[in-house]
Amino acid sequence: MISITITVNGEARQLPTGSTLADALAANGQPAASFASAVNGEFVARDARATQTLADGDAVFTFQAITGG
């Protein structure tokens, strides 16, 4: 199996080629609805995670969304 290496919050992870952001976050073990996400500094909406294919070297970040007025 061919794999890619990405970082999730600064920690290296290996995933199968063709993995999506949703796959990476599920492997991270956090409830997906509890945080926002970005790939290479670009925000990715929750409903777009399953179509955001990751590439070797991508940097994934998760963070608490800040809301207010």
Side-chain angles (χ1 to χ4, degrees):
M1 176 190 291
I2 298 174
S3 65
I4 59 171
T5 300
I6 63 166
T7 58
V8 178
N9 298 326
E11 295 183 21
R13 305 281 168 95
Q14 286 198 330
L15 296 171
T17 298
S19 293
T20 65
L21 178 57
D23 297 329
L25 298 178
N28 204 33
Q30 294 177 294
S34 68
F35 55 83
S37 58
V39 176
N40 300 324
E42 296 290 324
F43 173 76
V44 179
R46 285 186 188 115
D47 61 354
R49 292 173 180 170
T51 59
Q52 176 73 46
T53 303
L54 298 173
D56 194 55
D58 279 349
V60 174
F61 294 96
T62 61
F63 51 94
Q64 287 296 114
I66 300 173
T67 60

